[in-house]
Amino acid sequence: MNKEDIKEEQLYEPIKSYFESMGYEVNAEVNDCDVTALKDGNLIVIELKKNLSVYLLAQAVKRQKAADLVYVAVPKPKKLKMDFKWKDIFGLLRRLELGLIFINISRRKFSVEVVLQPDFFDRNKSIQRNKKVRKKILSEIQGRHVDLNKGGSKGKKLLTAYREDALYIAYCISKNGPSSPKNLRALGTNEKKTTSILYQNHYGWFLKEDRGIYNLTDEGKKAMEEYSEVIRYFEEKE
């Protein structure tokens, strides 16, 4: 049975059966709530939809004003892979303190799978856990000097702080001739990354001519033309 052939009202019965099996009193369409489950004064609201959407999440968050716990329930995707997309979705649901229920559909048989329980989200704890991510973002911002990237762009080479460091090394070599990492650092290239950028040669811009001496390849010269705005910044900075 395809998801397209399912009606939202068909999702109600398996949800009803699941919560009734745990002793809840279950009702449908109560003051705009798709499903309510009540037990010992604890009110749970479940919002049903055929697809997980921003609108569904907005509805569920609205229900949190009155309910103790809120779930969103959708048919389980046929090809579910716990990839970055779903990890991000789970992260968003946790942040919104929403639970997630998958309704399995097989030959007109429906079963319920609670994949995420609603729980309190501690934002401060989350920030503490992700200090390294913040540090990495700030380091990248501080390492950039020319803003050539376009927000939202895809499939394009991004001007990262690393690429900018490599371009400055290329610029210094083009201006001063074959150089050692020590000489390049004296000219102002990145104190910590110069040696590794030359050694790893990630972009293929550098050629080791002699022991500890590096020159530019044709690719490196092309890169300087491609990123002429960055090179112009280096020239003007001197």
Side-chain angles (χ1 to χ4, degrees), residues 7-172:
K7 296 180 180 178
E8 279 185 22
E9 60 192 46
Q10 290 178 284
L11 305 177
Y12 172 64
E13 287 301 329
I15 293 292
K16 178 182 173 69
S17 297
Y18 174 79
F19 281 97
E20 282 185 338
S21 70
M22 294 190 294
Y24 285 88
E25 177 187 344
V26 181
N27 290 280
E29 298 300 334
V30 180
N31 291 358
D32 295 328
C33 301
D34 287 346
V35 185
T36 61
L38 184 65
K39 178 182 177 183
D40 299 329
N42 293 315
L43 176 62
I44 295 176
V45 171
I46 306 99
E47 289 296 319
L48 306 174
K49 283 292 182 291
K50 290 170 64 174
N51 296 289
L52 194 59
S53 66
V54 173
Y55 177 68
L56 174 59
L57 298 181
Q59 277 188 314
V61 168
K62 190 176 180 180
R63 304 297 175 248
Q64 288 175 328
K65 296 176 182 178
D68 296 295
L69 298 174
V70 179
Y71 292 83
V72 293
V74 296
K76 184 176 182 178
K78 283 188 175 181
K79 297 180 179 179
L80 177 63
K81 292 182 179 179
M82 196 49 65
D83 54 14
F84 287 111
K85 174 186 173 182
W86 273 103
K87 285 181 180 179
D88 287 345
I89 290 172
F90 273 47
L92 175 59
L93 290 167
R94 288 191 184 97
R95 197 173 190 88
L96 294 175
E97 301 180 3
L98 296 172
L100 175 63
I101 297 174
F102 280 149
I103 301 172
N104 296 297
I105 305 162
S106 176
R107 296 182 182 180
R108 297 187 179 277
K109 290 183 179 180
F110 295 76
S111 61
V112 166
E113 179 184 351
V114 179
V115 291
L116 185 65
Q117 295 284 2
D119 198 4
F120 169 73
F121 181 81
D122 189 334
R123 187 169 184 272
N124 290 328
K125 189 175 181 180
S126 176
I127 291 173
Q128 290 298 316
R129 284 179 177 174
N130 291 280
K131 278 186 175 180
K132 289 183 179 179
V133 177
R134 178 184 173 86
K135 185 177 179 181
K136 188 176 180 181
I137 292 172
L138 293 177
S139 176
E140 179 67 20
I141 292 170
Q142 292 162 1
R144 294 188 188 186
H145 301 91
V146 183
D147 187 25
L148 295 182
N149 300 326
K150 303 294 181 184
S153 59
K154 293 182 179 180
K156 295 181 180 179
K157 293 179 182 177
L158 295 178
L159 181 61
T160 61
Y162 184 92
R163 192 183 294 271
E164 198 175 302
D165 285 336
L167 282 168
Y168 190 54
I169 292 172
Y171 167 73
C172 290

Side-chain angles (χ1 to χ4, degrees), residues 191-232:
E191 189 70 28
K192 295 180 179 179
K193 297 180 181 178
T194 295
T195 300
S196 64
I197 288 174
L198 290 166
Y199 180 76
Q200 294 174 6
N201 197 19
H202 183 70
Y203 303 121
W205 294 352
F206 308 108
L207 174 67
K208 190 174 183 179
E209 284 196 339
D210 202 348
R211 186 175 180 179
I213 302 296
Y214 293 85
N215 204 349
L216 277 180
T217 64
D218 289 338
E219 286 299 315
K221 294 173 183 176
K222 288 178 184 177
M224 290 181 64
E225 294 176 4
E226 183 180 355
Y227 294 96
S228 58
E229 291 181 59
V230 182
I231 302 304
R232 194 176 305 118

